[in-house]
């Protein structure tokens, strides 16, 4: 694709601008924990819903529960495997959201598969970027 050069380098005319995607223009500005939490709970709803759907729970968790879990998880670590995700789900008391015969091991495996996908990487990158702008 032929792209015009700008002072910052080549520009893809088909790419969305950060502000069109809901990102603040000054992505390096410091955020309070409350501001960051608000952004994490209100932006990227479609991607959070993909996470919820990927878990394939009989009674899906709410958007708020999923967003809170992702915030807790990604403040602590980058999800690497199902046992790590299971431990974070247990620490977040996710047993209360299970419907028999569901178990945390299966849900955590599905979560790990999601985080290995393009949508999972995009969502964790967004959360990590916002969390990095706070003082934890």
């Amino acid at each position: 694709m032929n792209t015009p050069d700008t002072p910052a380098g080549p520009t893809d005319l088909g790419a969305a601008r950060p502000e069109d995607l809901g990102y603040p223009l000054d992505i390096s500005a410091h955020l309070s924990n409350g501001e960051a939490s608000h952004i994490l709970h209100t932006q990227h709803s479609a991607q959070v819903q993909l996470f919820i759907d990927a878990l394939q729970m009989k009674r899906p968790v709410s958007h708020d529960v999923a967003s809170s879990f992702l915030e807790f998880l990604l403040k602590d670590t980058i999800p690497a495997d199902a046992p790590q995700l299971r431990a974070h789900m247990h620490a977040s008391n996710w047993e209360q959201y299970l419907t028999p015969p569901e178990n945390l091991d299966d849900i955590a495996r599905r979560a790990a598969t999601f985080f290995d996908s393009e949508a999972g990487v995009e969502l964790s990158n967004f959360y990590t970027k916002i969390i990095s702008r706070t003082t934890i």
Side-chain angles (χ1 to χ4, degrees):
M1 173 179 198
N2 235 349
T3 56
D5 286 331
T6 64
T11 303
D12 179 356
L13 297 177
R17 299 174 310 170
E19 59 270 23
D20 295 337
L21 298 173
Y23 294 106
L25 289 176
D26 181 9
I27 61 171
S28 63
H30 176 77
L31 296 171
S32 71
N33 287 334
E35 290 168 329
S37 186
H38 177 75
I39 291 169
L40 296 174
H41 284 255
T42 59
Q43 294 186 17
H44 274 349
S45 294
Q47 288 83 354
V48 172
Q49 188 59 50
L50 290 174
F51 171 72
I52 293 168
D53 293 345
L55 300 179
Q56 301 174 13
M57 297 175 74
K58 292 180 189 254
R59 189 178 41 143
V61 295
S62 69
H63 179 89
D64 191 53
V65 167
S67 293
S68 294
F69 172 72
L70 292 166
E71 183 177 358
F72 168 68
L73 173 70
L74 293 164
K75 275 185 178 178
D76 183 49
T77 187
I78 302 298
D81 57 22
Q84 181 186 42
L85 288 162
R86 185 201 183 289
H88 276 81
M89 288 176 168
H90 177 71
S92 296
N93 198 24
W94 269 47
E95 289 88 349
Q96 68 180 318
Y97 305 118
L98 300 177
T99 303
E102 292 176 322
N103 61 69
L104 285 184
D105 290 326
D106 291 340
I107 303 300
R109 274 193 294 277
R110 293 178 196 137
T113 299
F114 173 78
F115 283 115
D116 285 340
S117 73
E118 184 177 335
V121 170
E122 180 183 332
L123 185 60
S124 73
N125 285 345
F126 171 73
Y127 270 70
T128 302
K129 183 182 291 185
I130 298 301
I131 291 166
S132 73
R133 293 173 51 198
T134 66
T135 52
I136 299 173

